[in-house]
Amino acid sequence: MRNKLHILILLFLMIPLGVFAQWNKLTDLPTVYIETFNNAPIVSKDYYIYANIYLMNDEGHLEIYDSVQIRGRGNSTWNMSKKPYKIKFKQKEKFLGKGYAKAKKWTLLANAADKTLMRNALTSALGEFTSLKFNPAAKFVDVVLNGQYLGNYQISDQVDVRPHRVNIVEQEVPLPDGADISGGYLLEVDGFQDGNCFTTNYYYTPVRIHSPEEEDITALQNTYVHNYINMFERRLRSSNFTDPVNGYRHVVDEASLIDWYLCTEISANIDGFYSTYFYKDQADSLLYFGPLWDYDIAYDNDYRIRSEQGLSTTTYSLMANIAYSGSKRWINRMWEDPWFAKQVYVRYKELLDNGLVDYLQNKVDSLSRLLQKSQQMNYEKWGLRNRMYHEMVLYSSYDQYVEDLKVFINEHCAYLENTFSFMKPVEPTPPFEPANYYYRIQNVKTAKAIDISETSVCQYSNLKDRESQDWIIRKVGEHFQLINRSNNLALNDPTVGECTPTTNIETQLDVTAPDENSDSQLWDLIPQGTEGWYNLLNVHTQHIANLRAGSSNDYTPILSYTNDERNGESQNRLWYIIPNGPLPDDIAGIRDMEPDEYALAYDPMQQVLHFGSETPERLTFTVSVHAANGMLVGQFKANEEFNMTNQPSGIYIVSWRCGNKTRSVKFKK
C-alpha cells in the first residue's frame, strides 16, 4: 500500500531518522531504494522474497511501500551481471501515478544489453506513433538494493490484462457456468515455450496463454484458444488464403497487424517474431497484434547476425528474411498476399509522410538528455566498453552509442522505403473513372499539358492557373467527352474521309461545340502499363492522340495518329490524367442524393461507406472512391459496404453513375 508518511509514522515503523536523510535522489531521476528482509539476496527468478521499497520521486517526496515481493525476471537477461527484476505489491498500486495502470505487478528492466539504455522506451514511443493501443510505460530511475547501487533501470508495465495495459475483458475466476469464453485472451508466440504453452497444428508455432493465468484457466478455455489459433493458421495456409472473407484477413485486425509488423521491421528486432504478443477480446472475432515488448537488442544491437547470417549489420535487411523464427512463418506466408505487400508499403509511406524519422530522432535526443547524469553513474559501475550480452559495437563514450542509433534509424528507414516499394505488387493502371475534378492531360515525355490556341489543340508548359489546360471529363455511355474549361468546347478529331487505325493520320486535333452524338468528340481512355499512363483513342477515327515528333516546344500540335502495338511504349502517345481542383458545383458533404431513390452515408465509428434505399434491388451501380489527389483507392457495388479503415485521414471523393447521371460527393475521414 502506498503511504506518504511523516516523522511520527517513520518512528512507528522504527525507521531511524538518520536513515531518511540517505534516501535522496542520486541524479535528476527518481531513486528506488529496495531493502529486502534481512538483506537477503535476490537469487531466483522463480521465487519471490519480501522487501520494502522507498521511492524518492520526481518532486523529491518519499513514497514507502512495505511487504513488497521481488524476484528476478527474464530469460537470457537474468544471466547478465546487471539483472532485471519483477516486483509485486500487496495490492494494486498506481506506482507510476495518474494515467498509468493500477496493478500489483511491475517490472524493473535493466536494459543491460543496450548501451543507450533507451531502446525499449524508444519502441514504446514508436508504438504510440502508430495505431497500436497498448504500449508499455517507460519511467527511468536509479536503483539501490540493500545499500548497493545497481544502476539505471526502467520501470515498466508487466504485460497483463487490465486498464492502461492490455485493456480487454478479464474473465472471471473461477469461471461461472455459461460464461462467454470468447475472450479476453492475452497470447504470445513464445520461442522459449514457457508457462501454459501449446504448439499449433499447421505451422507448429509455440503459443503461450498468458491470460487467463495457468492456475486459473479451464480445460474449456484452453480448448477454445487452441481451436481458434489453429483456425487462423488453417485459413493462412489454405489455397484461398488471400481471400478477404475465407482467408486469414477475416480473423485478424488489419491495422494492428500491419503496424506491429512495421514496428518490428523499423526497429530491426531479430527477436520480434521469436516473441510476439497478440490478444483476442470477448465477443470480438479478431486477433489483435501487440503490445511491443523486449526490444533491447533491436536497432542493430546483436552481433550474432554476423556469424549466423554472414551480415555485418541489420541496416539493409528485412527481419522477415533474417530474424529468428516463430511468427515469422506467418509473416512470410502473408508476404505472398498482394494485399499485405501493398498495405505494408502504403502504411509505411503514410508513417514517413507523418514525420516518422524526425519523430524517432527527436525522441532519441530527448531520452539522451533525460538519461545524461544517470547513465554516467551507471557506466561508472558497469563500464561502457564491457560487452554485457551481444552488443554489435563497443564505443568509448555514451554519445557515440546514441549517434550510432540515430544513424541506423536514418539509413534503415530509407532502406525500408526502397525495399517495400520494390516488393509491393505491380498493379496495372486502373480503368479511368472521372471524379468531380478539372483534369490536366500531361504528356509522359515532356510533362507539358494539352492546351488550346484559339481552336487548335497543342502542348504548352504546365501552368496551374491556366484554365485552357483544364478539362472536364464526362462519361457518355461507354465513352468520354472532354470539355475545355476556358471556352466550354469539346476535344475533337476533325479528320475527314475514310479512316483505319493506321491510315489518314496526322490531322491536328481541335475543339468544337459539344455534341454527345458526335463520335468525333468521343474518346476512350485506354490504361497502359503500371505508371498511370493512358492513350486517348478517338471513337470515330480509331486514332490515338499523339504529340508531334515528341517535341518539347510550346505550341507543338497534338495529332490524330497511328493506333498500333506501340501504344503502350511510345511516350508521344502516353498521357497522365491529373486532377487539378474540384469542379465548382461539387457537394461539400455527404447528404441524401435523390432521396426518393437512395442515400449515401459514412459511418465514422465503423469507418464504412454504404448506401441505403427502400428499393435495395436498384443498388446495382458501381461506386468509385478517390483520394483528394485523384488517386482511385477502391470501388464497390452500391449494395455493399466499403471499408475505409486502412485509408489515411483526409478528403475523399465518392462518385457513381446511375442511369444517365453522374454523381459525386466529397467527405472528410
Side-chain angles (χ1 to χ4, degrees), residues 442-500:
Q442 180 178 299
N443 185 256
V444 168
K445 181 177 182 180
T446 66
K448 293 189 175 184
I450 293 182
D451 205 330
I452 57 173
S453 176
E454 296 182 351
T455 60
S456 297
V457 176
C458 59
Q459 162 187 269
Y460 197 81
S461 297
N462 200 336
L463 302 174
K464 182 174 178 60
D465 297 327
R466 190 175 172 93
E467 292 190 355
S468 58
Q469 296 180 354
D470 286 343
W471 300 83
I472 301 169
I473 302 180
R474 296 174 176 166
K475 200 88 179 272
V476 179
E478 297 300 316
H479 311 296
F480 297 96
Q481 187 180 42
L482 285 65
I483 308 296
N484 191 267
R485 179 179 185 178
S486 66
N487 57 19
N488 290 317
L489 299 180
L491 182 66
N492 181 68
D493 184 343
T495 303
V496 296
E498 294 295 326
C499 294
T500 71

Side-chain angles (χ1 to χ4, degrees), residues 77-120:
T77 53
W78 177 243
N79 296 318
M80 301 179 194
S81 51
K82 183 186 178 188
K83 298 184 181 300
Y85 300 99
K86 182 176 180 178
I87 56 180
K88 182 179 179 182
F89 294 102
K90 289 188 297 183
Q91 60 189 42
K92 296 176 182 178
E93 296 285 355
K94 279 273 189 181
F95 193 35
L96 295 185
K98 187 177 180 180
Y100 293 94
K102 184 176 183 180
K104 288 184 179 181
K105 297 177 182 178
W106 297 81
T107 61
L108 281 172
L109 302 181
N111 292 317
D114 172 16
K115 290 296 194 291
T116 71
L117 304 170
M118 68 175 68
R119 281 173 165 84
N120 277 312

Side-chain angles (χ1 to χ4, degrees), residues 479 492 515-523 538-541:
H479 311 296
N492 181 68
D515 179 0
E516 292 186 358
N517 295 313
S518 171
D519 286 350
S520 296
Q521 295 182 21
L522 299 182
W523 301 82
N538 187 262
V539 171
H540 172 65
T541 64

Side-chain angles (χ1 to χ4, degrees), residues 116-171:
T116 71
L117 304 170
M118 68 175 68
R119 281 173 165 84
N120 277 312
L122 179 65
T123 305
S124 181
L126 173 61
E128 292 177 0
F129 191 80
T130 70
S131 68
L132 297 180
K133 294 181 180 180
F134 311 123
N135 300 293
K139 179 73 173 180
F140 288 101
V141 295
D142 300 305
V143 173
V144 177
L145 173 63
N146 293 332
Q148 180 184 7
Y149 171 70
L150 294 188
N152 175 275
Y153 277 72
Q154 176 186 330
I155 301 176
S156 190
D157 292 298
Q158 174 75 13
V159 181
D160 60 10
V161 174
R162 68 187 59 257
H164 297 293
R165 288 185 176 172
V166 181
N167 193 10
I168 59 177
V169 170
E170 189 170 8
Q171 300 188 60

Side-chain angles (χ1 to χ4, degrees), residues 565-625:
E565 67 278 359
R566 296 191 64 239
N567 289 346
E569 60 186 58
S570 173
Q571 293 188 349
N572 301 347
R573 312 179 193 181
L574 293 169
W575 308 88
Y576 292 110
I577 304 176
I578 304 170
N580 191 43
L583 298 177
D585 60 348
D586 72 321
I587 299 167
I590 286 187
R591 62 175 177 83
D592 288 353
M593 297 294 300
E594 300 169 343
D596 292 337
E597 301 178 22
Y598 56 83
L600 173 64
Y602 175 62
D603 182 345
M605 297 297 294
Q606 299 296 323
Q607 299 187 53
V608 295
L609 288 162
H610 62 92
F611 282 84
S613 175
E614 294 183 359
T615 54
E617 67 274 5
R618 299 180 63 184
L619 299 177
T620 59
F621 47 89
T622 299
V623 186
S624 300
V625 184

